[in-house]
């Protein structure tokens, strides 16, 4: 069935076979090789749409190969491989199957040439990923998983509604750039917005990611949001609204990231902020900005993944990711610390790391277009990223106060995965040309100008200084065991209490009404029984006289009628 | 980074990260801070030797990135404190419907001590 | 054998099987074998007809004239053929499943059960092949009566009460409304024949159309349109095979099938959309979808939850009719198939859980997934199909219903379908999730539980597989459904 | 031979049972009398089939008693309507008699059985006479013959239950009052027209036009017949009479007596007084129609609460008579068709059901519903017959009850009388309740411990199932009954139209 071929199929087929591969080394190897097979399918293909066919009058294209889909496909595949390596120790078939399905769906979505295929894989990512949360097997993760699932599937159904409207409006379902304006496109944007964690649509991330298993969170951090960024780049490049959304997105999670105690949640907030950069890039929409967004997505897959891996390794060895319980881990987990610092440097956009070469594309794009305030806001967001993730996170985990934890260094699989990811971050930073060559638009850009390198170093150094100073004085908000309320409060607390209230009200009204109706019915039945029951006047055996009376009565009645 | 130095036992010397021991003491912190001050001064000085250029006028301000970073840090710290004051709740605020208050299940972990 | 004879055969086999069943009542193995063979034979006949219908044949036969002008006759058209194929096709796995279930659960009076089951299938096929509304009504009532003993099977007070509710609502609606609607139709048009494009146009004052439609919509109580849905949850006291085949497929689908048929062949889609007579029905169906879903969330009893889910899903099909476009009819008809596979699998799983673990409450299912992985895996697949997620069958029918809503510019209906999907997630997915991922509170009691008998498992797997296969082979079904005539045939 | 008999069939129809009755009494022992009565009833049945076949195409047979031409002589006039009723009466008799063998043997002492069969034959003769005669006064005579026989038949239940005597007494009083009213009414018609031949009456009344005497006559006939056919609220004699009469009698009476009375009513209203007689139309619509609707509900509700199966069925009969009266008081062709077709349908159904009750009494010794728990297991065929009959009573398709309901509702819809259509349906829902109450008890309740019940004997089961079979057969294929009823209705209306036009 060559016409049904897409890289996703390799993953899905592989996922179905996972239970039959013996656990341990063989299965680990198997999981590592699947992404390789996936890449082989599309690598080297000339751009174009493959495997197109007609389904019920709709033009389905399972595989569209162009630079944009290829770079995301490649990044996803690589990340899937690294994640598999990271999860080498894992013996949970459910998570392994879910991982493959999840990665496959994400890659399938990236290569989808039409909206239906996109929808199919879009939902695929939602369903497959929730198992990574549920696999934690606790009450809390069950509830978080349910919330995550409802929102993710919600995104999917909004997408399909948008597609329906779009199909109705345009008569086609091919997935190309759209103009925001009709209900169809607004709906599609909303669907993407949920997965992309636009402000106020973002809560699922902070709710679900820290609720997953050790390896699950790493995998979750890779695909869903970047898929959404891809969809924005494909569907809504140059949509001005996205610039403002992106700016808001980049800025507001910073405060939460500074307050959070759970390091995995800190990372989700910082991920959310980084996504803001990409959304701005999509919104600016110039070839450079698109390149920037794509590059930043790729770079952030790896450095954010690296950070999640490091925190995951800590959790794996200590049983907690709470900042309040950690600290001083550099003693026993120095390698993890080093890799974490590489990730931190990347997100801080330190020169010669991947963050530097990707973020500067977006900032430059804003700069070329003279979008001063956007530029300024992004700069502020960068500063925030340096502060909360570049400095605070490693500080709380590895330095800070000694929590007297002396865990063992992370296991080999994790270390190797982190090492490779860290190497990638640095390689991209040192040799940006390789990344740039893969970007969708052909734009010349040189990140390592003298000015640019120096100012970025200035920024990082001064912020670090400020941080060191503030830490010495205890000026930063303290990490405490706490819950920081976010917008999810509205549906986790407000909405349920409204529903409870309504339910109580409706229940009372219903009770009252049904009691009323029931008593009326009872009365009716009683009255009927009184009249028609065995002893009732209608059923009773009347004496002959009474019968005759009845005859006389009827006769009288009809006779009256006679003389009318 | 105070009060933890006494926890450093002889045993820690054998740990793989022993190279950095002392960095989390008050003295270590001071050293790091001064090192940073030195770096900052150097980087600021570069600017006066080789003039830099950016996209906007504001970048021409002396050591713009330096003071901008510090200002943003201050603003963020204040803002975060305000947010924290308003939105911080008990860890078990959402009860059993959240993972916040529960421990990570042991089967998913391999908690091993370094000295074990 | 001619198609006409095959048609009669398809009804006659299940209708005559009861005699054999009664004969072998004392020999359970032979009796159950008869059931299975009869189901296969029926399906073979139906399948043969299906192929003929795909080739364009429209077999018709008039049996006799019951009253002057009122003919007991059959005629096959694509919609009825579809329903017959689904009902008779799913009878095979269900009859296998019944063997496992009835024996596993040690139910009494299995012969009576098998007899009534066969009659119900005969009635369902009869409904599917009815050539006119009058014939359809006859089989509709036969179906009601023949399923009453099945609902009351356990003979406990609850069973009796449930069966009473079942009978009362179905009878009341069918006699009070449907029969009146039928006679009205006969009165004004002088025919009850199903005709492409409808028979009413030009015979009835457009202002009265909504009322006639109301008589039909509420009269077809089997479609479980709110507020006449109570019988469906009440019928859940029946043994699970009944809930699975009859109250997820044959009976309820007979209801919505009748809605589709009435909408397409009595009113005519064009007439409905021209007069706007179905607007109120559309809103009612939408409300029914949402309210039933919300009620489902509050139910802890597994079968009750599935029953309310059925109520909600049936309204999808009614909605398809009420949207009054070709795509609505296509979506509704498609939903008959897709929902059948999903819901029968869910009910069979519920039955398997009951047989294997004697659990009926959702809150008791924690940790059972480890003991019964196949059952719960299939449950998950079926649930995803019901929700309407790819790559499972339910996604397509929802797609066409949405298309229909978009065609008629009813954005709110699209919203309703979206919200309904989410509500489906909320009430269906926690069940397997709890079973797989939460720990049981009483591990000791669950220690001995293992998968249900093979006779139960195989049909479940078959139905779940169906959900996947239909997703990928939907093109054929769609092409087939386009054959449903929407416009009046041009007169020669 | 046939050629010799054939012209005299109308006379033979009545004469055979009438003459046979005294002979039957002389036969003494039960068995012989039963055989004799059965043969006679079979013969009358054959004759009525022949008559029906002759009139089915619309032919009207006019037979002049003793060769005297009407209006002086007595005319037996057979058209499709009364051929149809004849068929019902003689057919019921022919089927009830085989059934009566075991049933009567259990309920009446052997030495009295010959008398019983004599009364039975007399009753048959009377009912046939009422139906076939074309002479108004003759109707009264035969009506009294049949009524008197009926009183005796009801009273013969006294060996089983003494209350049968009071029931029969009440019936006697009421029946007599009815007969009196009826005969006075006929007298008034005679005083206006000077003739007793119905066809002649019709012509002369049309010539004469409306008058208060005519009105009085009409009212008295209406009430007189109303009493006989148990029109609500003149039905008070019926439940007890039906409940306490021997089972076979109840089955026979339920199938025939009230139906013949309805026939008389139809005949007088539409043939004699004419379809377009305005006062009659007003009375029907203002008095009979509301009473019919009340009957449908009130009697059904009473039936719901009854514990005795026979009483329950009796009240159900009152309700069903409501349907018949409703049909004719709608005063359109479909309505009258509905009434006529329901005559037959209800006769078949109710006979079957009362026979079932008789089987229960025979085998289980009781007709109390609460004592029939679990009877479905012990007496499967009898109970199944009840279910089939019950479904017909409810009016489900594939039973005759459905056919009646179809026409009745169609008639109301033709007039645009919505609420009435819905009321008809609603009252059939009440039938579901009282039927299903029995079904539930019989099938879903465990039999009380220690009770053993055998299936009823074949001699009772077969006639019962023949009636059930008929009620299904004519429900599946109603062409014969519906066509006959339709033709009868159109004949009734058609004839009066012609008469009143000039």
């Amino acid at each position: 069935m060559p016409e049904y071929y897409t890289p996703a199929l390799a993953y899905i087929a592989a996922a179905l076979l996972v239970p039959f591969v013996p656990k341990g080394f063989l299965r680990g190897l198997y999981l590592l090789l699947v992404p390789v097979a996936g890449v082989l399918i599309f690598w080297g293909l000339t751009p174009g749409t493959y495997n197109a066919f007609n389904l019920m009058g709709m033009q389905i294209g399972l595989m569209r190969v162009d630079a944009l889909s290829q770079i995301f496909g490649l990044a996803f595949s690589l990340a899937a491989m690294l994640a598999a390596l990271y999860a080498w120790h894992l013996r949970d078939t459910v998570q392994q199957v879910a991982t493959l399905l999840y990665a496959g769906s994400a890659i399938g979505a990236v290569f989808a040439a039409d909206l239906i295929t996109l929808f199919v894989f879009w939902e695929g990512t939602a369903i497959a990923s929730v198992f990574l949360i549920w696999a934690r097997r606790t009450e809390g993760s069950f509830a978080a998983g349910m919330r995550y699932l409802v929102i993710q599937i919600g995104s999917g159904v909004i997408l399909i509604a948008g597609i329906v409207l779009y199909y109705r409006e345009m008569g086609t379902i091919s997935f190309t750039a759209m103009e925001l304006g009709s209900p169809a496109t607004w709906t599609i944007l909303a669907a993407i917005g949920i997965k992309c964690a636009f402000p106020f649509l973002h809560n699922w991330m902070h709710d679900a990611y820290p609720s997953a298993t050790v390896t699950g969170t790493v995998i979750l951090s890779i695909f869903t949001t970047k898929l959404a960024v891809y969809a924005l780049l494909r569907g809504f490049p140059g949509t001005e609204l996205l610039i403002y959304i992106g700016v808001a997105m980049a800025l507001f999670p910073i405060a939460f990231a500074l307050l959070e105690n759970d390091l995995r949640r800190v990372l989700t907030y910082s991920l959310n902020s980084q996504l803001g950069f990409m959304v701005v890039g999509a919104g600016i929409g110039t070839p450079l900005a698109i390149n920037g967004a794509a590059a930043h997505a790729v770079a952030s897959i790896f450095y954010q993944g690296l950070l999640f891996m490091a925190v995951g390794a800590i959790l794996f060895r200590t049983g907690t990711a709470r900042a309040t319980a950690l600290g001083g881990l550099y003693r026993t987990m120095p390698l993890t610390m080093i890799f974490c610092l590489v990730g931190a440097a990347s997100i801080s956009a330190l020169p010669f790391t991947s963050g530097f070469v990707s973020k500067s594309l977006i900032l430059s794009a804003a700069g070329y277009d003279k979008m001063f305030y956007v530029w300024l806001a992004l700069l502020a967001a960068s500063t925030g990223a340096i502060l909360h993730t570049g400095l605070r996170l490693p500080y709380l985990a590895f330095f800070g106060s000694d929590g007297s934890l002396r865990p063992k260094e992370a296991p080999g699989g994790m270390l190797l995965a982190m090492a490779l990811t860290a190497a990638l971050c640095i390689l991209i930073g040192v040799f940006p040309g390789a990344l740039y060559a893969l970007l969708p638009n052909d734009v010349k850009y040189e990140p390592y100008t003298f000015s640019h390198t120096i100012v970025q170093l200035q920024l990082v150094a001064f912020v670090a200084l400020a941080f060191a100073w503030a830490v010495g004085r205890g000026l930063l908000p303290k990490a405490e065991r706490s819950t920081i309320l976010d917008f999810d409060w509205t549906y986790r607390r407000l909405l349920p209490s409204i529903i409870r209230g309504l339910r109580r009200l409706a229940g009372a009204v219903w009770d009252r009404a049904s009691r009323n109706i029931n008593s009326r019915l009872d009365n009716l039945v009683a009255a009927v029984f009184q009249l028609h029951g065995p002893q009732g006047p209608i059923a009773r055996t009347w004496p002959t006289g009474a019968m005759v009376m009845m005859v006389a009565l009827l006769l009288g009645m009809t006779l009256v009628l006679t003389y009318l | 980074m105070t009060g933890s130095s006494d926890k450093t036992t002889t045993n820690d010397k054998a740990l793989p990260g022993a190279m950095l021991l002392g960095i989390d003491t008050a003295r270590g912190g001071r050293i790091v801070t001064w090192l940073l001050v030195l770096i900052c001064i150097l980087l600021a000085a570069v600017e006066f030797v080789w003039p830099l250029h950016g996209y906007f006028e504001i970048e021409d301000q002396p050591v713009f990135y330096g003071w901008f970073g510090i200002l943003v840090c201050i603003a963020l710290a204040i803002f975060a404190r305000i947010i924290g004051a308003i939105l911080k709740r008990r860890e078990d605020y959402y009860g059993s419907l959240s993972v916040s208050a529960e421990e990570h299940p042991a089967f998913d972990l391999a908690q091993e001590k370094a000295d074990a | 054998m001619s198609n006409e004879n095959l048609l009669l055969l398809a009804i006659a086999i299940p209708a005559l099987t009861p005699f054999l069943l009664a004969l072998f009542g004392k020999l359970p193995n032979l009796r159950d074998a008869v059931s299975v063979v009869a189901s296969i034979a029926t399906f073979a006949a139906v399948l043969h007809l299906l192929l003929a219908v795909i080739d364009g044949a429209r077999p018709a036969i008039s049996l006799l004239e019951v009253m002057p002008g009122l003919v007991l006759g059959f005629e096959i058209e694509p919609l009825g053929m579809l329903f017959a194929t689904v009902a008779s096709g799913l009878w095979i796995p269900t009859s296998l499943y019944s063997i496992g279930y009835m024996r596993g659960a040690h139910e009494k009076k299995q012969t009576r059960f098998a007899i009534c089951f066969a009659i119900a299938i005969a009635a369902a096929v009869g409904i599917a092949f009815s050539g006119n509304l009058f014939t359809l009504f006859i089989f509709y009532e036969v179906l009601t009566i023949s399923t009453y003993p099945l609902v009351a099977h356990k003979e406990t007070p609850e069973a009796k009460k449930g069966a009473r509710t079942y009978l009362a609502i179905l009878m009341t609606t069918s006699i009070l409304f449907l029969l009146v609607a039928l006679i009205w139709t006969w009165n004004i048009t002088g025919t009850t024949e199903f005709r492409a494009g409808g028979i009413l146009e030009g015979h009835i004052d457009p202002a009265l159309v909504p009322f006639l439609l109301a008589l039909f919509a509420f009269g077809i109580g089997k479609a479980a349109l709110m507020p006449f849905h109570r019988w469906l949850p009440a019928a859940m006291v029946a043994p699970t095979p009944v809930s699975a085949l009859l109250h997820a497929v044959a009976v309820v689908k007979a209801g919505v099938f009748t809605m589709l048929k009435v909408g397409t062949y009595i009113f005519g889609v064009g007439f409905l959309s021209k007069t706007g007579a179905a607007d109120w029905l559309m809103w009612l169906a939408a409300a029914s979808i949402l309210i039933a879903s919300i009620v489902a969330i509050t139910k802890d009893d597994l079968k009750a939850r599935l029953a309310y889910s059925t109520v909600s899903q049936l309204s999808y099909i009614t909605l398809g009719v009420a949207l009054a476009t070709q795509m609505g009819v296509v979506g509704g008809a498609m939903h008959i198939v897709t929902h059948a596979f999903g819901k029968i699998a869910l009910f069979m799983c519920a039955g398997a859980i009951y047989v294997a673990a004697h659990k009926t409450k959702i809150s008791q299912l924690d940790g059972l997934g480890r003991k019964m992985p196949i059952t719960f895996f299939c449950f998950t697949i079926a649930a995803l199909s019901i929700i309407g997620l790819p790559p499972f069958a339910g996604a397509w029918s929802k797609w066409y219903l949405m298309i229909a809503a978009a065609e008629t510019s009813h954005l709110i209906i699209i919203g309703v379908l979206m919200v309904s999907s989410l509500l489906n997630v909320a009430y269906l997915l926690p069940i397997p999730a709890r079973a797989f991922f939460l720990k049981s509170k009483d591990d000791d009691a669950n220690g001995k539980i293992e998968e249900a008998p093979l006779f139960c498992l195989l049909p479940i797997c078959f139905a779940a597989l169906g959900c996947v296969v239909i997703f990928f082979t939907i093109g054929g079904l769609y092409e087939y459904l386009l054959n449903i005539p929407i416009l009046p045939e041009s007169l020669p | 031979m046939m050629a010799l008999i054939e012209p005299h069939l109308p006379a033979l129809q009545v004469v055979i049972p009438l003459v046979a009755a005294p002979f039957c009494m002389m036969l003494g022992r039960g068995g012989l009398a039963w055989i004799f009565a059965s043969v006679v009833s079979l013969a009358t049945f054959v004759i009525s089939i022949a008559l029906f076949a002759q009139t089915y195409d619309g032919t009207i047979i006019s037979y002049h008693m003793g060769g005297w031409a009407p209006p002086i002589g007595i005319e037996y006039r057979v058209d499709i309507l009364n051929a149809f009723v004849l068929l019902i009466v003689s057919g019921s008799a022919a089927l009830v008699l085989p059934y009566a063998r075991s049933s009567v043997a259990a309920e009446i002492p052997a030495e009295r059985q010959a008398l019983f069969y004599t009364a039975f034959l007399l009753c048959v003769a009377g009912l046939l006479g009422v139906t076939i005669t074309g002479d108004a006064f003759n109707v009264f005579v035969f009506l009294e013959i049949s009524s008197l026989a009926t009183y005796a038949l009801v009273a013969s239940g006294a060996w089983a239950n003494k209350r049968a005597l009071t029931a029969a007494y009440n019936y006697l009083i009421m029946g007599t009052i009815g007969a009196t009213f009826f005969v006075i009414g006929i007298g008034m018609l005679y005083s206006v027209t000077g003739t007793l031949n119905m066809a002649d009456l019709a012509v002369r009344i049309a010539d004469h036009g409306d008058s208060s005497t005519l009105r009085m006559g009409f009212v008295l006939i209406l009430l007189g017949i109303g009493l006989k056919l148990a029109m609500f609220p003149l039905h008070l004699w019926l439940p007890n009479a039906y409940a306490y009469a021997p089972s076979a009698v109840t089955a026979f009476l339920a199938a025939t007596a009230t139906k013949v009375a309805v026939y008389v009513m139809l005949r007088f209203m539409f043939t004699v007084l004419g379809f377009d007689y305005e006062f009659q139309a007003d009375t029907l619509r203002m008095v009979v129609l509301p009473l019919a609707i009340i009957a449908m509900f009130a009697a059904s509700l009473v039936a719901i609460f009854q514990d005795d199966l026979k009483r329950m069925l009796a009240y159900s009969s009152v309700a069903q008579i409501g349907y018949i009266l409703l049909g004719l008081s709608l005063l359109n062709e479909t309505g009258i068709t509905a009434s006529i077709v329901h005559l037959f349908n209800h006769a078949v159904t109710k006979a079957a059901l009362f026979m079932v009750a008789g089987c229960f009494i025979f085998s289980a010794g009781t007709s109390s519903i609460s004592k029939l728990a679990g009877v479905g297991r012990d007496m499967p065929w009898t109970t199944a017959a009840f279910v089939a009959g019950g479904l017909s009573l409810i009016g489900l398709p594939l039973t005759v009850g459905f056919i009646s309901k179809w026409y009745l509702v169609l008639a109301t819809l033709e007039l645009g009388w919505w609420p009435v259509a819905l009321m008809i349906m609603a009252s059939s829902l009440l039938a579901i309740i009282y039927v299903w109450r029995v079904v539930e008890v019989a099938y879903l309740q465990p039999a009380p411990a220690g009770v053993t019940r055998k299936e009823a004997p074949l001699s009772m089961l077969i006639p019962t199932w023949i009636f059930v079979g008929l009620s299904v057969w004519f429900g599946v294929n109603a062409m014969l009954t519906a066509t006959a009823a339709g033709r009868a209705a159109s004949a009734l209306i058609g004839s009066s139209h012609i008469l009143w036009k000039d």
Side-chain angles (χ1 to χ4, degrees), chain C residues 195-200 262-273 324 486:
Chain C
R195 221 173 278 157
I199 56 174
L200 284 171
V262 165
T264 323
Y265 296 105
I266 296 292
F267 285 90
V269 168
F271 185 52
L272 277 182
S273 79
I486 297 296

Side-chain angles (χ1 to χ4, degrees), chain A residues 546-555 558, chain D residues 170-171 174-175 177-178 181 219-239 258 265 287-288 291 295 318 321 325:
Chain A
M547 297 191 200
V548 176
M549 261 306 286
M550 203 59 89
V551 178
L553 203 72
L554 209 58
L555 183 66
T558 32
Chain D
N170 269 335
Y171 187 12
M174 301 306 288
I177 294 174
F181 275 35
V219 166
L220 286 167
I221 291 174
L222 176 70
L223 286 186
I225 296 297
L227 262 165
K228 293 269 179 199
L229 59 73
M231 179 170 89
F232 190 91
L234 310 178
H235 68 286
L236 296 167
W237 57 269
L238 185 138
T258 47
M265 197 164 193
V287 179
V288 178
L291 285 176
V318 176
I321 289 163
L325 291 178

Side-chain angles (χ1 to χ4, degrees), chain A residues 138 331 364 370 406 493, chain B residues 17 55 89 93 102 112 114:
Chain A
T138 63
R331 291 177 181 80
S364 300
K370 296 294 170 205
R406 297 291 181 268
R493 269 296 163 97
Chain B
Y55 307 107
R89 295 289 184 279
Y93 179 75
E102 68 186 25
E112 288 180 43

